[in-house]
Every structure is written in C-alpha cells, then in structure tokens.
C-alpha cells in the first residue's frame, strides 16, 4: 500500500490496538477479586509485593503507551484540555491529599446521616473534584507568576552584570588601578 492506503491501515491498526489496550486496562482495573487473577499471574511474578501493585503498573504502562503511540489517543490529548491538564497535574498531585483528608472527610462525616450514602459519596466526590482542581489551578497560576518575576529579575541582573563587564573591558588596567586605590 502506498501513501494514503498506508495511513488507513495505520489508523485501523491504531484503533484496534487502542481498543484492545483499553479493554485490557478495564479488565485489570475492574477484576472483582485478586484470587483467580492471582493464581494466573503469581507463577510468572512470584516476588511481586502485591498483585494489585503489578496490575496497576501494567495498566499505567498501557495507558502511557497508548498516549504516546496511538494516534487517536495522542491527538485527543494534544489540545487545550491536554495542555491545561499538563499544567495543573503537579499542583493537583500536591493538593489532592490535603483536600481529601480535610474538606472531603469533614463533608462526609457531617452529611452521612442526612441523606442516603450513595448521594453523600457522589456529593463528596464532586466537591472534592471541584475544590482540588480549583486549588491546583490557583497554585499553577501562582507558580507562573513567581517564574515570570524571577525571569524578569534575572534578566535585569544579567543586564546590570553585562553593563558592568563592558565598563571594565573598556577601562585600561591603569585606570582600574587608580579607581581601586582611590576607593580604598
């Protein structure tokens, strides 16, 4: 196949690989119990700390591989949403546990008797998501502001250093010696 025909095959193959990988990830993450899967996997990985660690590791590797090599997945992440997620991912990592251990726990404890459990959990999940993303976005903006300020400061300092260097280079050695002796 030449040109466009090869792209069609690549596209179909990538869709097929994406579907198979997603199905495998879903199977790994949704397995009801570790016992049968453990019997299947344990002979190959006898020294694995826990089976769940292995399952999550394999699923994460598959997802990363799909994001890097499957055009459909890669293209869906190469947009504004992907850029924003990339920008707030580290701040999100920093604040999520604080929000879960403070605000979410407090909300769950205080709402638990007032409404059905599934509604409480859903409400707390939404609250956790909104607060975590808002705090991560705020932290990201603060980080950008600090970086801009440091960039400007370093630019100014670099300019001052360059100016003083050029002054030193234009003065002759005797002029520098005279200036030094007059200052001391």
């Amino acid at each position: 196949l030449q040109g466009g025909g090869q792209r069609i095959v690549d596209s179909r193959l990538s869709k097929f690989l994406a579907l198979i990988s997603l199905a495998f990830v879903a199977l790994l993450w949704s397995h009801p119990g570790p016992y049968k899967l453990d019997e299947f996997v344990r002979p190959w990985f006898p020294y694995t700390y826990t089976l769940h660690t292995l399952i999550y590791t394999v699923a994460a590797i598959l997802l990363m591989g799909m994001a890097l090599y499957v055009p459909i997945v890669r293209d869906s992440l190469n947009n504004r949403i992907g850029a924003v997620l990339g920008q707030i991912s580290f701040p999100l990592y920093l604040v999520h546990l604080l929000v879960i251990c403070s605000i979410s726990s407090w909300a769950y404890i205080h709402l638990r008797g007032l409404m059905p459990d599934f509604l409480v959990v859903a409400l707390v999940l939404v609250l956790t998501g909104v607060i975590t993303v808002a705090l991560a976005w705020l932290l990201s903006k603060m980080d950008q502001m600090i970086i801009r300020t440091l960039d400007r400061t370093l630019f100014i300092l670099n300019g001052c250093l360059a100016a003083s260097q050029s002054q030193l280079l234009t003065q002759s050695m005797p002029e520098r010696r005279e200036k030094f002796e007059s200052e001391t």
Side-chain angles (χ1 to χ4, degrees):
L1 295 171
Q2 299 290 329
Q6 183 66 32
R7 283 190 220 128
I8 292 171
V9 171
D10 288 344
S11 176
R12 288 183 184 159
L13 182 63
S14 66
K15 287 178 185 177
F16 178 72
L17 288 174
L19 188 61
I20 295 295
S21 297
L22 276 177
F24 191 65
V25 168
L27 173 73
L28 288 177
W29 275 343
S30 68
H31 194 270
Y35 306 111
K36 290 191 181 196
L37 193 58
D38 188 35
E39 292 170 8
F40 177 71
V41 174
R42 187 65 62 189
W44 292 337
F45 301 98
Y47 302 110
T48 303
Y49 183 69
T50 65
L51 181 65
H52 292 289
T53 303
L54 177 68
I55 290 171
Y56 292 138
T57 303
V58 168
I61 289 170
L62 283 173
L63 287 174
M64 288 299 296
M66 286 172 42
L68 291 172
Y69 298 112
V70 177
I72 294 170
V73 179
R74 186 181 56 230
D75 293 344
S76 67
L77 294 174
N78 282 338
N79 55 25
R80 269 196 184 151
I81 294 172
V84 169
L85 286 175
Q87 191 175 26
I88 69 168
S89 64
F90 186 67
L92 198 66
Y93 165 74
L94 292 176
V95 300
H96 83 279
L97 190 61
L98 295 172
V99 172
I100 291 170
C101 291
S102 59
I103 298 169
S104 302
S105 299
W106 178 85
Y108 179 77
I109 290 170
H110 284 82
L111 294 174
R112 204 167 113 203
L114 301 175
M115 55 185 75
D117 283 345
F118 73 91
L119 196 56
V120 171
V121 170
L123 188 62
V124 169
L125 282 174
V126 169
L127 179 71
T128 302
V130 168
I131 291 174
T132 304
V133 169
L135 286 175
W137 180 81
L138 184 64
L139 192 59
S140 170
K141 292 300 174 189
M142 288 173 53
D143 184 44
Q144 288 174 1
M145 185 177 64
I146 290 169
I147 289 172
R148 272 195 307 261
T149 304
L150 286 174
D151 280 348
R152 274 190 243 126
T153 304
L154 290 174
F155 180 76
I156 290 169
L157 288 176
N158 192 20
C160 292
L161 184 63
S164 66
Q165 262 183 340
S166 68
Q167 235 180 3
L168 283 175
L169 292 175
T170 57
Q171 290 178 345
S172 66
M173 192 63 161
E175 288 175 357
R176 281 190 242 160
R177 187 176 301 125
E178 284 176 20
K179 184 177 179 182
F180 177 72
E181 288 172 355
S182 69
E183 289 176 358
T184 57

